[in-house]
Amino acid sequence: MKDFRELIVWQDSHKLTLEIYKITKLFPKEELFILTGQMRRSSSSIPTNIAEGCGRGTNKEFAQFLQFAMGSAYEIDYQLILAKDLNYIKSQEYLELSEEVDKIKRKLASLLKKVRNES
């Protein structure tokens, strides 16, 4: 069993989730159960799946949860584009958050490769 808190990709994705919660507080109220909820679920799903994967017994299972986390990273990537295009976030916010998502995706890919090679 691994301690997920020690993984930098978990730390980064947790910080991203906190940022997503912060910016979505400013979204229009009619988006509360639509885009706001989707963005919060997608972003929080990344560190959640990393944590759950760490609690699994095998590297194969861990890799599966890392792959789920990657899927969620791609979801939030699109949702940020949508939020920008709807003018819910500024272009600068979009660029900063998108860059963070890209870093997380690269770290997930690297960890996934390492875990698969250890199997």
Side-chain angles (χ1 to χ4, degrees):
M1 183 169 21
K2 303 160 191 65
D3 184 356
F4 62 87
R5 294 172 203 88
E6 294 178 7
L7 295 172
I8 293 181
V9 69
W10 179 86
Q11 295 168 13
D12 291 348
S13 59
H14 176 67
K15 288 178 193 172
L16 173 69
T17 301
L18 295 175
E19 282 301 310
I20 295 297
Y21 268 74
K22 184 176 156 185
I23 66 160
T24 56
K25 280 184 181 180
L26 305 173
F27 283 16
K29 294 299 176 210
E30 65 264 16
E31 289 291 354
L32 182 61
F33 298 108
I34 307 167
L35 188 57
T36 298
Q38 288 175 329
M39 290 180 74
R40 288 177 176 188
R41 276 188 299 281
S42 296
S43 63
S44 65
S45 182
I46 302 167
T48 299
N49 277 300
I50 295 168
E52 186 171 354
C54 283
R56 297 299 174 137
T58 67
N59 279 348
K60 183 178 179 183
E61 289 174 301
F62 185 29
Q64 181 181 15
F65 281 88
L66 291 175
Q67 194 63 59
F68 295 154
M70 182 70 83
S72 296
Y74 275 90
E75 282 183 51
I76 193 66
D77 202 6
Y78 165 68
Q79 291 158 352
L80 285 167
I81 292 168
L82 182 58
K84 178 187 62 82
D85 290 348
L86 292 170
N87 295 312
Y88 294 163
I89 60 174
K90 295 180 172 105
S91 291
Q92 186 60 37
E93 284 177 304
Y94 165 76
L95 290 172
E96 291 169 7
L97 290 167
S98 180
E99 186 176 308
E100 282 304 308
V101 172
D102 286 344
K103 287 179 189 176
I104 289 166
K105 288 191 294 189
R106 285 193 300 272
K107 289 176 184 176
L108 280 171
S110 177
L111 181 56
L112 189 55
K113 183 178 179 181
K114 179 182 175 197
V115 168
R116 284 180 174 156
N117 285 340
E118 289 175 0
S119 294

